[in-house]
Amino acid sequence: MTRTITNARESGERSGSKLMVLNRVVIILACAATFFPGLYPGRVTTEISRNTSLLTASISYDSLVSNISRALKKGWVSASTFQLLMVASIIVLVGIILCAIGGCMSVGNHRMRYVGIRFPIIGSVVMAVGLVCIYVCHGQIVAADTEKVPANFPVGFIVFAVMAVLILLTSLAELRIVLPLKSDLEPKMQMGEKYHLFLLFLPILALVFAFSYLPLWGWRYAFFDYSAGGTLSMDNFVGFKWFTYLFQNSATRSDLFRVIKNTLALSGIGIVTSWLPMIFAIFLTQINSKGFRRVVQTCTTIPNFLGWVIVYAVALAIFSTDGFINSFLSNVLGIASSTNYLMNSSHMWLKMWLWGTWKGLGWSAIIYISSITGIDPTLYEAATMDGAGRFAKIWYVTIPQLAPTFFVLLLMSIANVLSNGLDQYLVFSNAANMSAVEVLDLYVYNLGIGNGQIPLSTVVGMFKSVISVTLLFAANGVSKRLRGESII
């Protein structure tokens, strides 16, 4: 009899595991769908921007009605319809969040599963309420019967409705399996350490997905003859036209080679001098006065939190025609000077590196300072007994212990050799120094936003990403061959 009960329980747990997997998969898909504009369930009219997702509609009313403000002013549609639509979007998003909480709790012990299974049940019902409100909004748009704001039944509505039903059914089925185990529940809710670490990492994973992988959907613009405000369809599909145009057009090819030269030069200077934060951290930890060390570390770290616009304002106050240097030369030394150092295009690579180093040196040294504090003190004690002085300890103990950290950061720098960033070069660029300061990221910005050549700028961005990934794997392979260690 006991064996029969045990077998039935094991069979129930296996069935529950399969249901749990299906439940988690659907919840993950629902969470991912909140970021996809094409799956927005509330696009009840074609006038709603195609770039609006469930998330953006839930947090920004302006983005929801950005394309229909004139229709609202003219009274063609009621503002209450779109206010209800935003509320409905928020309700659906809250339901998805409740389902996600339940999905996270499902990786715990039986008690946590028993408590957590109620969240996706409630969440799916909340999603259904939000979808009903969206359906009401669709009915109001249909009732308005205006050609200015044509009604649309969104595909995303069906997708979210199916996911809500699946989450509800799997959760109810799992609840029936978990309920008989109520008498055998653990005293308190617990979760395995590996799941703790995963859930701590989950927000970072979501941010990476939203800001690093989801934008790859924009690569489709490279295959269309697209202009701002237009739509993508097979009528303007051009295949690899812009890929070939990038290299066949002599002007574009010349500009591309120029910005790649600037990019590689500036990144190369940064890679060659990437040891500076490590040396700075080492010397900083050698300062005996704690108060003075804190002052130095604070003064060198604060610039990292200044935006590049503020940094440029500081540079303007110092190096412009009527800045500090020219005023000092004229008023103190009696040397007439009106040189505008910011407009001067000479030594721009060196200037950009100096500003970048001044801004980021203290911040970059923090990781090395934390690594130094983790070095085993017995290594220094052994070196002292061997007669090593301060610099000998640095050379034979500190630097070798910091070498793994340095090489990991070096590999990441090599992988990002084509990604210099945009802000610094955008604020420092002008007509005189543009040829020397325009890097690849700034070129993509100027090409797409400045000139409106969105497909061509997308092609350049695609090439940059592919080359960066290739460099990362190449540098990782070299590191694995020479040092026997890799980061991938």
Side-chain angles (χ1 to χ4, degrees), residues 246-247 250-264 440 443:
L246 181 65
F247 297 102
S250 59
T252 305
R253 187 170 60 247
S254 176
D255 288 340
L256 187 60
F257 290 155
R258 175 177 56 82
V259 298
I260 288 179
K261 180 184 69 174
N262 294 336
T263 303
L264 293 177
L440 200 54
Y443 177 69

Side-chain angles (χ1 to χ4, degrees), residues 261-281:
K261 180 184 69 174
N262 294 336
T263 303
L264 293 177
L266 288 164
S267 296
I269 295 173
I271 291 174
V272 170
T273 58
S274 59
W275 48 270
L276 285 176
M278 182 176 67
I279 299 301
F280 176 74

Side-chain angles (χ1 to χ4, degrees), residues 121-446:
I121 294 175
I122 298 173
S124 59
V125 173
V126 172
M127 286 176 63
V129 172
L131 292 173
V132 169
C133 293
I134 291 175
Y135 187 78
V136 171
C137 294
H138 176 264
Q140 293 177 357
I141 296 293
V142 173
D145 193 21
T146 173
E147 295 180 357
K148 304 293 184 179
V149 187
N152 174 65
F153 192 80
V155 177
F157 183 90
I158 301 175
V159 173
F160 275 87
V162 171
M163 289 191 292
V165 171
L166 285 176
I167 292 172
L168 179 62
L169 293 178
T170 54
S171 299
L172 289 174
E174 187 180 351
L175 181 63
R176 291 188 60 185
I177 296 174
V178 174
L179 279 177
L181 303 177
K182 184 177 179 180
S183 58
D184 297 332
L185 296 180
E186 296 84 355
K188 60 180 181 179
M189 294 188 293
Q190 289 182 340
M191 186 180 295
E193 184 177 355
K194 61 180 180 180
Y195 297 119
H196 274 293
L197 297 175
F198 174 75
L199 292 178
L200 287 173
F201 178 70
L202 192 59
I204 305 299
L205 190 64
L207 290 175
V208 171
F209 171 78
F211 294 102
S212 296
Y213 289 99
L214 189 60
L216 295 180
W217 178 242
W219 280 8
R220 69 189 190 279
Y221 289 101
F223 303 96
F224 292 85
D225 193 2
Y226 176 81
S227 57
T231 58
L232 300 182
S233 65
M234 292 308 298
D235 294 334
N236 55 10
F237 179 78
V238 294
F240 291 94
K241 169 189 171 182
W242 297 110
F243 291 84
T244 57
Y245 176 84
L246 181 65
F247 297 102
Q248 289 179 351
N249 185 278
S250 59
T252 305
R253 187 170 60 247
S254 176
D255 288 340
L256 187 60
F257 290 155
R258 175 177 56 82
V259 298
I260 288 179
K261 180 184 69 174
N262 294 336
T263 303
L264 293 177
L266 288 164
S267 296
I269 295 173
I271 291 174
V272 170
T273 58
S274 59
W275 48 270
L276 285 176
M278 182 176 67
I279 299 301
F280 176 74
I282 292 173
F283 285 140
L284 190 64
T285 55
Q286 295 299 314
I287 299 176
N288 293 325
S289 174
K290 291 185 178 179
F292 181 68
R293 184 168 67 240
R294 289 174 181 172
V295 170
V296 173
Q297 186 174 358
T298 301
C299 291
T300 54
T301 304
I302 285 178
N304 178 75
F305 299 98
L306 301 178
W308 277 110
V309 175
I310 299 177
V311 174
Y312 181 76
V314 173
L316 187 67
I318 298 174
F319 298 106
S320 64
T321 304
D322 56 350
F324 171 78
I325 291 182
N326 287 322
S327 299
F328 179 82
L329 292 175
S330 301
N331 301 330
V332 179
L333 301 181
I335 301 174
S337 176
S338 59
T339 304
N340 192 329
Y341 297 97
L342 290 180
M343 290 291 291
N344 194 338
S345 61
S346 62
H347 306 99
M348 282 306 300
W349 294 347
L350 181 61
K351 293 176 185 177
M352 292 297 98
W353 171 77
L354 287 173
W355 281 112
T357 301
W358 171 77
K359 189 174 185 295
L361 182 64
W363 178 260
S364 301
I366 291 178
I367 189 171
Y368 292 107
I369 294 173
S370 61
S371 298
I372 291 172
T373 58
I375 296 176
D376 189 354
T378 59
L379 297 175
Y380 292 106
E381 294 173 2
T384 302
M385 295 188 65
D386 289 339
R390 175 176 293 187
F391 287 99
K393 292 177 184 177
I394 292 174
W395 183 258
Y396 292 105
V397 178
T398 307
I399 292 179
Q401 292 295 314
L402 295 180
T405 303
F406 171 76
F407 281 110
V408 169
L409 296 178
L410 181 63
L411 286 177
M412 295 176 66
S413 299
I414 294 174
N416 293 321
V417 70
L418 296 180
S419 300
N420 302 87
L422 172 67
D423 300 351
Q424 177 184 2
Y425 307 101
L426 179 62
V427 297
F428 276 93
S429 63
N430 52 60
N433 62 23
M434 180 62 77
S435 61
V437 79
E438 189 175 27
V439 294
L440 200 54
D441 289 326
L442 181 57
Y443 177 69
V444 170
Y445 171 82
N446 290 333

